[in-house]
Amino acid sequence: MHASTMFKALVALAAAITPAVADLAVTEPVASTTCTAGQSCTVTWKDNGSSPSLAQLGLCTIALYTGGRQQQTFLQPIAYPTPIDVSTQLTVSFVVDGTVGPNDSNYFIRFSSTNHTQTNSTTAAPSLAFSAKFSLAGMTGTFNQTVLNQIAGSTGSTSASTASSTAGSSSSSRTSSTRSTTATSSTSTPNSGFKADSSAVYVVGAAAFAGLVTLF
């Protein structure tokens, strides 16, 4: 392939997988937040003035996650499987399940729109929004090696896995912004394969998260 043709192809591919910034800005939790197992943790958000609007995002599922840019693990439902309208409800609270992981600073909230999809997606991938990474304390669970690899930035697995390996309390050398980031995934609908079992964590692939620099 001619060099100029290859360059154009690479540019086109990058444009196809780059997440589009949306307008849901998570104002709580932020990077300095610590929520405690067995206690209520509050999630709040606002319109940051970018497109799409909160009304366009509409109904969203919300859940607690951990992981990295390309692979993320569903830990606990917050507004799932029944979504809420993020344009009319700007806050939600949940009681932290202490068994989903260890004391750690690599937790975040993920929103997944059931109404809005990435305009250049060929698979109708949903628009996603993220809080900054924050801490959970008083936890009694563990992360298995797959999850630890995700946090470290490794590829990880895309199949379901249980949190059976001892992780201890791992710390992250990466810093998180107190401002949230919204993106659009080019992969399949998140949260698929989730089961109501607090002893397990479920891996969700998201290959188009290269732009989530404020989260990771």
Side-chain angles (χ1 to χ4, degrees), residues 3-156:
S4 62
T5 303
M6 179 179 294
F7 175 77
K8 291 178 180 178
L10 290 173
V11 169
L13 176 61
I17 65 172
T18 299
V21 175
D23 78 334
L24 191 156
V26 180
T27 54
E28 190 177 2
V30 295
S32 60
T33 298
T34 299
C35 290
T36 303
Q39 297 183 18
S40 180
C41 186
T42 300
V43 183
T44 60
W45 57 93
K46 66 178 182 179
D47 189 322
N48 71 3
S50 300
S51 180
S53 66
L54 288 182
Q56 288 175 308
L57 291 175
L59 294 174
C60 292
T61 57
I62 308 172
L64 177 69
Y65 277 79
T66 191
R69 291 182 184 178
Q70 295 186 339
Q71 297 290 335
Q72 303 177 349
T73 295
F74 184 114
L75 297 177
Q76 181 180 349
I78 298 173
Y80 181 87
T82 303
I84 63 173
D85 189 338
V86 295
S87 67
T88 59
Q89 181 175 339
L90 301 179
T91 184
V92 66
S93 296
F94 69 103
V95 176
V96 178
D97 181 350
T99 67
V100 300
N103 293 335
D104 202 83
S105 59
N106 286 291
Y107 296 96
F108 54 91
I109 306 299
R110 189 170 110 169
F111 294 71
S112 178
S113 176
T114 64
N115 293 353
H116 195 272
T117 59
Q118 184 178 12
T119 56
N120 61 357
S121 172
T122 59
T123 58
S127 293
L128 304 177
F130 302 84
S131 74
K133 285 189 171 183
F134 65 99
S135 300
L136 293 182
M139 304 294 284
T140 60
T142 58
F143 289 154
N144 64 20
Q145 192 59 51
T146 297
V147 176
L148 294 176
N149 289 344
Q150 291 174 2
I151 294 171
S154 301
T155 300

